[in-house]
Amino acid sequence: SQQGEEDPQALSIQEGENATMNCSYKTSINNLQWYRQNSGRGLVHLILIRSNEREKHSGRLRVTLDTSKKSSSLLITASRAADTASYFCAVSGGSYIPTFGRGTSLIVHP
Amino acid sequence: DTEVTQTPKHLVMGMTNKKSLKCEQHMGHRAMYWYKQKAKKPPELMFVYSYEKLSINESVPSRFSPECPNSSLLNLHLHALQPEDSALYLCASSQALPAGGSGNTIYFGEGSWLTVV
């Protein structure tokens, strides 16, 4: 099964700034999901984007998908200290079971 | 109610012990999952149950034994574990296995921290 790879591995910003994380993958996918994980806690589902979709929004989150470049991005606008967490992309290919990338660790300084 | 409940939150066990991790959901989901996550690593899939039948076993050692007694419960029985098995064990569920490219949101519990001594 394939795996998404997030970039950067770590991101440190000030409150109010935007945070952008990227996810790249190698083969064709059916859908891609973004999750958030606070330290030592479970994963919280943020957004699912299907392979025939290009952009989705949820509150301060915007996810894009470029299947020609095999990449996705997660934008968090007007970040808050509470957004501090690890963010994972999970790609689903033929088996439809999501496989997680190594994650981006985001720190938002108040 | 989008909640997956895992117990216990923390478990310390010796290498000769037998213990179990429990997971419960009341969302009517028919697919349930066990993932293992080591510190600063992504979650790794262990098992998938679909309609109470084991659908996927990612070559997990037999010292981990899953069980799905009914559609709401998922257990992970642990026996003769090694210190390197210490990790966060995450249970998850989804409405069904994703099909037809539609995808299904997977909901995770808070996890059970396992330490093997």
Side-chain angles (χ1 to χ4, degrees), chain B residues 83-96:
Chain B
E84 58 265 30
D85 295 322
S86 298
L88 178 66
Y89 288 83
L90 293 160
C91 176
S93 71
S94 64
Q95 195 165 25

Side-chain angles (χ1 to χ4, degrees), chain A residues 35 37 40-42 50 96 98 101, chain B residues 35 37 42 98 101-102 106 109-110 113:
Chain A
Y35 286 84
Q37 185 177 37
R41 307 290 297 276
R50 297 184 172 83
Y96 296 97
Chain B
Y35 282 83
Q37 186 179 25
S102 60
I106 297 182
E110 289 290 329
W113 281 100

Side-chain angles (χ1 to χ4, degrees), chain B residues 21 52 63 76 98 107:
Chain B
L21 304 180
E52 299 151 54
R63 57 186 185 268
L76 186 62
Y107 296 93

Side-chain angles (χ1 to χ4, degrees), chain A:
Chain A
S1 58
Q2 70 162 315
Q3 188 174 20
E5 290 296 331
E6 290 91 340
D7 173 63
Q9 287 190 49
L11 183 59
S12 180
I13 60 174
Q14 294 296 128
E15 212 167 25
E17 293 180 341
N18 295 342
T20 300
M21 288 157 265
N22 302 297
C23 173
S24 59
Y25 54 91
K26 290 189 168 58
T27 62
S28 63
I29 61 170
N30 292 296
N31 63 66
L32 184 149
Q33 302 182 62
W34 284 93
Y35 286 84
R36 184 185 77 231
Q37 185 177 37
N38 290 83
S39 180
R41 307 290 297 276
L43 285 88
V44 174
H45 183 264
L46 298 176
I47 289 183
L48 180 152
I49 187 164
R50 297 184 172 83
S51 58
N52 62 352
E53 297 175 315
R54 292 295 167 259
E55 187 170 313
K56 288 188 85 167
H57 297 254
S58 176
R60 294 184 294 114
L61 307 180
R62 181 170 78 100
V63 167
T64 60
L65 179 64
D66 187 334
T67 52
S68 66
K69 294 182 180 176
K70 293 186 170 56
S71 68
S72 172
S73 67
L74 170 66
L75 168 67
I76 304 174
T77 59
S79 62
R80 306 166 182 166
D83 295 327
T84 294
S86 292
Y87 290 82
F88 293 92
C89 72
V91 297
S92 298
S95 72
Y96 296 97
I97 303 295
T99 304
F100 289 84
R102 61 188 177 188
T104 292
S105 176
L106 172 66
I107 297 176
V108 181
H109 299 280

Side-chain angles (χ1 to χ4, degrees), chain B residues 45-108:
Chain B
L45 183 68
M46 300 175 72
F47 303 104
V48 181
Y49 273 81
S50 177
Y51 288 86
E52 299 151 54
K53 292 197 185 323
L54 184 63
S55 177
I56 295 176
N57 176 344
E58 291 286 291
S59 302
V60 179
S62 60
R63 57 186 185 268
F64 295 92
S65 175
E67 178 198 18
C68 189
N70 60 55
S71 59
S72 300
L73 295 174
L74 184 66
N75 299 321
L76 186 62
H77 302 300
L78 315 170
H79 176 51
L81 295 193
Q82 304 296 311
E84 58 265 30
D85 295 322
S86 298
L88 178 66
Y89 288 83
L90 293 160
C91 176
S93 71
S94 64
Q95 195 165 25
L97 282 184
S102 60
N104 273 294
T105 297
I106 297 182
Y107 296 93
F108 282 82

